[in-house]
Amino acid sequence: MERVSWQPLALLLLAAAAAVASGTEVGYDGRSMVIDGERRLLISGSIHYPRSTPEMWPDLIRKAKEGGLDAIETYVFWNGHEPRRRQYNFEGSYDIVRFFKEVQDAGMYAILRIGPYICGEWNYGGLPAWLRDISGMQFRMHNNPFEQEMETFTTLIVDKLKEAKMFAGQGGPIILSQIENEYGNVMDKLNNDESASEYIHWCAAMANKQNVGVPWIMCQQDQDVPPNVINTCNGFYCHDWFPKRTDIPKIWTENWTGWFKAWDKPDFHRSAEDIAFSVAMFFQTRGSLQNYYMYHGGTNFGRTSGGPYITTSYDYDAPLDEYGNIRQPKYGHLKDLHNVLKSMEKILLHGDYKDTTMGNTNVMVTKYTLDNSSACFISNKFDDKEVNVTLDDGATHVVPAWSVSILPDCKTVAYNSAKIKTQTSVMVKRPGVETVTDGLAWSWMPENLHPFMTDEKGNFRKNELLEQIATSGDQSDYLWYRTSLEHKGESNYKLHVNTTGHELYAFVNGKLVGRHYAPNGGFVFQMETPVKLHSGKNYISLLSATIGLKNYGALFEMMPAGIVGGPVKLVDTVTNTTAYDLSNSSWSYKAGLAGEYRETHLDKAKDRSQWRGGHHPGAPPLHLVQGDL
Ligand SMILES: *[C@@H]1O[C@H](CO)[C@@H](O)[C@H](O)[C@H]1NC(C)=O
Ligand SMILES: *[C@@H]1O[C@H](CO)[C@@H](O)[C@H](O)[C@H]1NC(C)=O
Ligand SMILES: *[C@@H]1O[C@H](CO)[C@@H](O)[C@H](O)[C@H]1NC(C)=O
Ligand SMILES: *[C@@H]1O[C@H](CO)[C@@H](O)[C@H](O)[C@H]1NC(C)=O
Ligand SMILES: *[C@@H]1O[C@H](CO)[C@@H](O)[C@H](O)[C@H]1NC(C)=O
Ligand SMILES: CC(=O)N[C@H]1CO[C@H](CO)[C@@H](O)[C@@H]1O
């Protein structure tokens, strides 16, 4: 037995040695990331795992690789992973290890942006709402309650990824990790508050303690940069931006390929030419790693952020559209650019360089030289005129307005950012398909509002109007406020409600009497609507809805939602004076809608018989949706 077992043991040891040997060493110098001793020019793209399904991941990642990307970047979504304190979710779209394994299987690198504050047009910027219930909690400032929770979560994610050997030193794909996110903006707003400074230094120290073996970055952190982190740029353009220290590379963590879509707002479009211009300029000006935000934006399956109100689509006008289709000419035009830049990797990262403005600061030639070879960029920042630029060899090149020409040998233009060679495919809806869309059969299930209109019990009562997020525990976007009053005879009033948003529906005795929502970004509003009371007991039911929670800004957790304190009044229509102030009446509370309790979205078998309709195009009339009151 001993002799037999000796061999497998030796093999095991060999395997372990091989695993160590296959680990990748990641560092950096003033020019670029250094991977296994080599400077690397890296092009990365953001794909957020919860914004697509695991079935889509391999295809999205493969298309990214074919588009000339070296790395996939993602945030980590704390409130998706820990919806309730110490109850974790790493299933389905939240299977972060599987996501990184897909990246590894595709032979790509990965960039891990833990945050865990991630902004991202995501509910509460990724922070779980239950954090608010911990006493002494202040988000993203120097205080024990926040720092402890942040460290616990960061450590959990790091350990999980270490266990799966996902960091480069372990042979995994992750070459960079990020702590916090765009905190420089908060520090600006808080006027470099001492607690903010202590917090960001604490973040860096905590991150470095994690021992992940790859560098840590902080984006949009241009002041008060802690030691041992690389500060990076986010934006539409990063050519005028340079890191604070000279011993760190110029990294662009968020090159916005488009913009998110909000309700009531038009689709955002950023042209392929303009992105290509920004990327070419970035590499002209010593850039070495840039990431497209987003390369695939995808879908907001869960709750989005309530400031501004984001739609379910997070398409972002990205090179891969919401459904994962290639968006041309953006995808192809950038792929051509990546190929040209890759062919110049060595000279860009090792060569000497010289920037020369040509008569005007808007026109610049950058010449890189290494041994006997040279490579040139010519950029023209005039947005209304082409320029003719003559290089050292006497040859003149026409550079169109707002564009960059790249000449890998300083002789021949291999790429111009304004000239698209990719075949433009325009997606056309075929008439036949449209007819099918028009004819889609919709079914509906009534939302049973009845319990919220009568004396049935809510979850609890209180003689005041409560704040919504705290009351609902962020388990739903909906909160019912209900009260009743005895009235003698019939009278008309105006129902006045003052709320901190985001949407309000008012019912009197089961009838919808008014609805209102805050214009984009403005949260506090007053609703006034005529109502009629009958003799006897009258029920006033107010349904307050949030469209996700705010994700951005200093101290955003202090922003309330719902009918905090009101007032809620019945106003006399003739004298315009308050007839009844209901603000301190006995209010009954219930979070969530009936459909949420039933989990209607899961299409459970036992519910199938509840669905009605099935023939009519479009949505059903409102009275059918509400059901019988
Ligand atoms: C550069 O060119 C010179 C002259 O043509 C030649 O002697 C030298 O070997 C070249 N150097 C390299 C590194 O190619
Ligand atoms: C650039 O040169 C071309 C001819 O080579 C000429 O047609 C064009 O007018 C010139 N443009 C400018 C802005 O001088
Ligand atoms: C409405 O409520 C907000 C927030 O509680 C409060 O600041 C404001 O004074 C109220 N406005 C009116 C008209 O009652
Ligand atoms: C009624 O009073 C409110 C404030 O007390 C005022 O804002 C409003 O304009 C008045 N409406 C009429 C019709 O007088
Ligand atoms: C409601 O109660 C609060 C707190 O006790 C008090 O300040 C306020 O004046 C009351 N409002 C009315 C209309 O009674
Ligand atoms: C950092 C940065 O470049 N921010 C810019 C991003 O784009 C918006 C909209 O064009 C500008 O307002 C910001 O200044």
Side-chain angles (χ1 to χ4, degrees), residues 5 19 61 72 159 177 181 200 209 213 221 248 263 266 268 283 334 365 375 427 439 484 513 570 590-591:
S5 67
I61 293 165
I72 301 293
D159 286 351
S177 44
N181 190 50
I200 201 67
K209 222 169 60 182
Q221 185 68 39
I248 62 182
W263 296 108
F268 186 95
F283 285 102
L334 295 175
V365 171
M427 292 231 202
S484 62
V513 293
L570 288 168
K590 179 114 177 145

mmCIF file of all heavy atoms in Angstrom, residues 5 19 61 72 159 177 181 200 209 213 221 248 263 266 268 283 334 365 375 427 439 484 513 570 590-591:
data_model
loop_
_atom_site.group_PDB
_atom_site.id
_atom_site.type_symbol
_atom_site.label_atom_id
_atom_site.label_comp_id
_atom_site.label_asym_id
_atom_site.label_seq_id
_atom_site.Cartn_x
_atom_site.Cartn_y
_atom_site.Cartn_z
ATOM 1 N N SER A 5 0.813 4.150 -2.835
ATOM 2 C CA SER A 5 0.335 5.516 -2.570
ATOM 3 C C SER A 5 1.429 6.565 -2.796
ATOM 4 O O SER A 5 1.148 7.742 -2.918
ATOM 5 C CB SER A 5 -0.192 5.635 -1.138
ATOM 6 O OG SER A 5 0.878 5.477 -0.237
ATOM 7 N N ALA A 19 1.018 24.436 -10.417
ATOM 8 C CA ALA A 19 0.055 25.502 -10.161
ATOM 9 C C ALA A 19 0.782 26.766 -9.732
ATOM 10 O O ALA A 19 0.458 27.864 -10.173
ATOM 11 C CB ALA A 19 -0.935 25.072 -9.082
ATOM 12 N N ILE A 61 -18.368 37.105 -23.418
ATOM 13 C CA ILE A 61 -16.920 37.157 -23.180
ATOM 14 C C ILE A 61 -16.160 36.825 -24.468
ATOM 15 O O ILE A 61 -15.170 37.466 -24.799
ATOM 16 C CB ILE A 61 -16.547 36.212 -22.008
ATOM 17 C CG1 ILE A 61 -17.150 36.761 -20.703
ATOM 18 C CG2 ILE A 61 -15.043 36.054 -21.886
ATOM 19 C CD1 ILE A 61 -17.171 35.769 -19.551
ATOM 20 N N ILE A 72 -11.807 41.592 -18.855
ATOM 21 C CA ILE A 72 -13.193 41.906 -18.526
ATOM 22 C C ILE A 72 -13.190 42.500 -17.122
ATOM 23 O O ILE A 72 -12.539 41.968 -16.216
ATOM 24 C CB ILE A 72 -14.079 40.641 -18.525
ATOM 25 C CG1 ILE A 72 -14.053 39.959 -19.897
ATOM 26 C CG2 ILE A 72 -15.503 40.977 -18.085
ATOM 27 C CD1 ILE A 72 -14.684 40.731 -21.022
ATOM 28 N N ASP A 159 -11.805 36.163 -0.072
ATOM 29 C CA ASP A 159 -11.575 34.766 0.322
ATOM 30 C C ASP A 159 -12.214 33.785 -0.657
ATOM 31 O O ASP A 159 -11.656 32.753 -0.990
ATOM 32 C CB ASP A 159 -12.107 34.512 1.741
ATOM 33 C CG ASP A 159 -11.199 35.147 2.793
ATOM 34 O OD1 ASP A 159 -10.099 35.623 2.411
ATOM 35 O OD2 ASP A 159 -11.591 35.197 3.971
ATOM 36 N N SER A 177 -7.395 44.995 -8.693
ATOM 37 C CA SER A 177 -8.613 45.069 -7.885
ATOM 38 C C SER A 177 -8.814 46.502 -7.429
ATOM 39 O O SER A 177 -7.860 47.264 -7.290
ATOM 40 C CB SER A 177 -8.525 44.108 -6.703
ATOM 41 O OG SER A 177 -7.260 44.198 -6.109
ATOM 42 N N ASN A 181 -14.926 53.781 -4.756
ATOM 43 C CA ASN A 181 -15.320 54.117 -6.113
ATOM 44 C C ASN A 181 -15.653 55.605 -6.218
ATOM 45 O O ASN A 181 -16.564 56.062 -5.520
ATOM 46 C CB ASN A 181 -16.562 53.294 -6.480
ATOM 47 C CG ASN A 181 -16.918 53.366 -7.931
ATOM 48 O OD1 ASN A 181 -16.060 53.166 -8.782
ATOM 49 N ND2 ASN A 181 -18.159 53.668 -8.223
ATOM 50 N N ILE A 200 -10.802 57.128 3.611
ATOM 51 C CA ILE A 200 -10.192 56.660 2.361
ATOM 52 C C ILE A 200 -8.808 56.045 2.633
ATOM 53 O O ILE A 200 -8.408 55.089 1.984
ATOM 54 C CB ILE A 200 -10.178 57.771 1.271
ATOM 55 C CG1 ILE A 200 -10.047 57.154 -0.113
ATOM 56 C CG2 ILE A 200 -9.126 58.820 1.512
ATOM 57 C CD1 ILE A 200 -11.246 56.334 -0.570
ATOM 58 N N LYS A 209 -4.182 44.952 3.230
ATOM 59 C CA LYS A 209 -4.100 43.867 4.215
ATOM 60 C C LYS A 209 -4.657 42.555 3.652
ATOM 61 O O LYS A 209 -4.384 41.475 4.150
ATOM 62 C CB LYS A 209 -4.939 44.283 5.434
ATOM 63 C CG LYS A 209 -4.313 43.964 6.762
ATOM 64 C CD LYS A 209 -5.075 44.645 7.902
ATOM 65 C CE LYS A 209 -6.550 44.210 7.992
ATOM 66 N NZ LYS A 209 -7.294 44.915 9.063
ATOM 67 N N GLY A 213 -2.218 39.970 -3.859
ATOM 68 C CA GLY A 213 -1.098 39.726 -4.768
ATOM 69 C C GLY A 213 -1.176 40.508 -6.070
ATOM 70 O O GLY A 213 -0.341 40.320 -6.948
ATOM 71 N N GLN A 221 -9.888 59.541 -7.809
ATOM 72 C CA GLN A 221 -9.364 59.886 -6.489
ATOM 73 C C GLN A 221 -8.107 60.701 -6.756
ATOM 74 O O GLN A 221 -7.002 60.186 -6.686
ATOM 75 C CB GLN A 221 -9.043 58.599 -5.699
ATOM 76 C CG GLN A 221 -8.594 58.813 -4.268
ATOM 77 C CD GLN A 221 -9.697 59.354 -3.392
ATOM 78 O OE1 GLN A 221 -10.849 58.944 -3.524
ATOM 79 N NE2 GLN A 221 -9.381 60.283 -2.519
ATOM 80 N N ILE A 248 3.490 55.453 -11.337
ATOM 81 C CA ILE A 248 2.328 54.597 -11.596
ATOM 82 C C ILE A 248 1.837 54.835 -13.018
ATOM 83 O O ILE A 248 1.988 55.917 -13.568
ATOM 84 C CB ILE A 248 1.188 54.821 -10.566
ATOM 85 C CG1 ILE A 248 0.658 56.252 -10.617
ATOM 86 C CG2 ILE A 248 1.643 54.476 -9.164
ATOM 87 C CD1 ILE A 248 -0.431 56.521 -9.593
ATOM 88 N N TRP A 263 -35.945 57.057 -17.375
ATOM 89 C CA TRP A 263 -37.321 57.235 -17.832
ATOM 90 C C TRP A 263 -37.494 58.675 -18.301
ATOM 91 O O TRP A 263 -36.929 59.602 -17.714
ATOM 92 C CB TRP A 263 -38.318 56.958 -16.692
ATOM 93 C CG TRP A 263 -38.296 55.555 -16.194
ATOM 94 C CD1 TRP A 263 -37.800 55.134 -14.996
ATOM 95 C CD2 TRP A 263 -38.789 54.382 -16.854
ATOM 96 N NE1 TRP A 263 -37.938 53.774 -14.882
ATOM 97 C CE2 TRP A 263 -38.546 53.284 -15.996
ATOM 98 C CE3 TRP A 263 -39.400 54.150 -18.103
ATOM 99 C CZ2 TRP A 263 -38.892 51.981 -16.333
ATOM 100 C CZ3 TRP A 263 -39.750 52.848 -18.428
ATOM 101 C CH2 TRP A 263 -39.501 51.786 -17.547
ATOM 102 N N PRO A 266 -34.432 60.682 -23.713
ATOM 103 C CA PRO A 266 -34.176 60.011 -24.992
ATOM 104 C C PRO A 266 -33.022 59.020 -24.880
ATOM 105 O O PRO A 266 -32.249 59.068 -23.920
ATOM 106 C CB PRO A 266 -33.799 61.164 -25.914
ATOM 107 C CG PRO A 266 -33.317 62.245 -25.012
ATOM 108 C CD PRO A 266 -34.044 62.084 -23.718
ATOM 109 N N PHE A 268 -29.473 57.642 -25.353
ATOM 110 C CA PHE A 268 -28.199 58.335 -25.459
ATOM 111 C C PHE A 268 -27.398 57.680 -26.568
ATOM 112 O O PHE A 268 -27.397 56.467 -26.706
ATOM 113 C CB PHE A 268 -27.453 58.232 -24.133
ATOM 114 C CG PHE A 268 -26.187 59.036 -24.115
ATOM 115 C CD1 PHE A 268 -26.181 60.324 -23.594
ATOM 116 C CD2 PHE A 268 -25.004 58.522 -24.623
ATOM 117 C CE1 PHE A 268 -25.025 61.079 -23.577
ATOM 118 C CE2 PHE A 268 -23.837 59.274 -24.616
ATOM 119 C CZ PHE A 268 -23.847 60.559 -24.090
ATOM 120 N N PHE A 283 -4.114 56.692 -25.714
ATOM 121 C CA PHE A 283 -2.868 55.948 -25.926
ATOM 122 C C PHE A 283 -1.775 56.850 -26.518
ATOM 123 O O PHE A 283 -0.596 56.618 -26.302
ATOM 124 C CB PHE A 283 -3.115 54.695 -26.767
ATOM 125 C CG PHE A 283 -3.799 53.613 -25.965
ATOM 126 C CD1 PHE A 283 -5.159 53.362 -26.094
ATOM 127 C CD2 PHE A 283 -3.085 52.869 -25.022
ATOM 128 C CE1 PHE A 283 -5.794 52.386 -25.327
ATOM 129 C CE2 PHE A 283 -3.713 51.895 -24.250
ATOM 130 C CZ PHE A 283 -5.062 51.650 -24.399
ATOM 131 N N LEU A 334 -13.869 49.860 -33.239
ATOM 132 C CA LEU A 334 -12.983 49.773 -32.070
ATOM 133 C C LEU A 334 -12.054 48.570 -32.189
ATOM 134 O O LEU A 334 -10.889 48.627 -31.809
ATOM 135 C CB LEU A 334 -13.802 49.712 -30.778
ATOM 136 C CG LEU A 334 -14.608 50.987 -30.485
ATOM 137 C CD1 LEU A 334 -15.491 50.799 -29.252
ATOM 138 C CD2 LEU A 334 -13.689 52.196 -30.316
ATOM 139 N N VAL A 365 1.413 66.228 -32.742
ATOM 140 C CA VAL A 365 2.057 65.018 -33.252
ATOM 141 C C VAL A 365 2.822 64.398 -32.096
ATOM 142 O O VAL A 365 3.540 65.090 -31.378
ATOM 143 C CB VAL A 365 3.030 65.344 -34.405
ATOM 144 C CG1 VAL A 365 3.852 64.105 -34.773
ATOM 145 C CG2 VAL A 365 2.273 65.866 -35.614
ATOM 146 N N ALA A 375 6.892 55.376 -34.346
ATOM 147 C CA ALA A 375 5.445 55.289 -34.530
ATOM 148 C C ALA A 375 4.873 56.666 -34.226
ATOM 149 O O ALA A 375 5.365 57.358 -33.329
ATOM 150 C CB ALA A 375 4.857 54.250 -33.587
ATOM 151 N N MET A 427 -29.829 47.704 -38.142
ATOM 152 C CA MET A 427 -30.846 46.713 -37.809
ATOM 153 C C MET A 427 -32.192 47.228 -38.286
ATOM 154 O O MET A 427 -32.590 48.341 -37.976
ATOM 155 C CB MET A 427 -30.888 46.506 -36.300
ATOM 156 C CG MET A 427 -29.638 45.852 -35.795
ATOM 157 S SD MET A 427 -30.080 44.443 -34.800
ATOM 158 C CE MET A 427 -28.600 44.283 -33.836
ATOM 159 N N GLY A 439 -49.167 41.686 -32.566
ATOM 160 C CA GLY A 439 -50.152 40.679 -32.215
ATOM 161 C C GLY A 439 -49.808 39.892 -30.963
ATOM 162 O O GLY A 439 -50.463 38.906 -30.666
ATOM 163 N N SER A 484 -58.410 55.954 8.624
ATOM 164 C CA SER A 484 -59.845 56.127 8.392
ATOM 165 C C SER A 484 -60.345 57.286 9.243
ATOM 166 O O SER A 484 -59.693 57.685 10.207
ATOM 167 C CB SER A 484 -60.594 54.842 8.746
ATOM 168 O OG SER A 484 -60.426 54.564 10.118
ATOM 169 N N VAL A 513 -58.148 58.273 -6.519
ATOM 170 C CA VAL A 513 -58.525 59.688 -6.661
ATOM 171 C C VAL A 513 -57.383 60.540 -7.206
ATOM 172 O O VAL A 513 -57.607 61.653 -7.687
ATOM 173 C CB VAL A 513 -59.010 60.293 -5.323
ATOM 174 C CG1 VAL A 513 -60.323 59.660 -4.894
ATOM 175 C CG2 VAL A 513 -57.954 60.144 -4.229
ATOM 176 N N LEU A 570 -57.118 67.211 4.819
ATOM 177 C CA LEU A 570 -58.295 67.428 3.988
ATOM 178 C C LEU A 570 -58.571 68.924 4.064
ATOM 179 O O LEU A 570 -58.724 69.483 5.149
ATOM 180 C CB LEU A 570 -59.484 66.623 4.508
ATOM 181 C CG LEU A 570 -59.374 65.107 4.277
ATOM 182 C CD1 LEU A 570 -60.428 64.368 5.083
ATOM 183 C CD2 LEU A 570 -59.486 64.767 2.790
ATOM 184 N N LYS A 590 -48.295 48.699 5.575
ATOM 185 C CA LYS A 590 -48.012 47.407 4.971
ATOM 186 C C LYS A 590 -47.053 47.624 3.791
ATOM 187 O O LYS A 590 -47.328 48.424 2.896
ATOM 188 C CB LYS A 590 -49.312 46.777 4.459
ATOM 189 C CG LYS A 590 -49.112 45.444 3.792
ATOM 190 C CD LYS A 590 -49.771 44.345 4.592
ATOM 191 C CE LYS A 590 -49.612 43.025 3.866
ATOM 192 N NZ LYS A 590 -49.450 41.921 4.817
ATOM 193 N N ALA A 591 -45.927 46.922 3.802
ATOM 194 C CA ALA A 591 -44.961 47.051 2.705
ATOM 195 C C ALA A 591 -45.260 46.015 1.635
ATOM 196 O O ALA A 591 -45.664 44.898 1.947
ATOM 197 C CB ALA A 591 -43.542 46.861 3.223
#
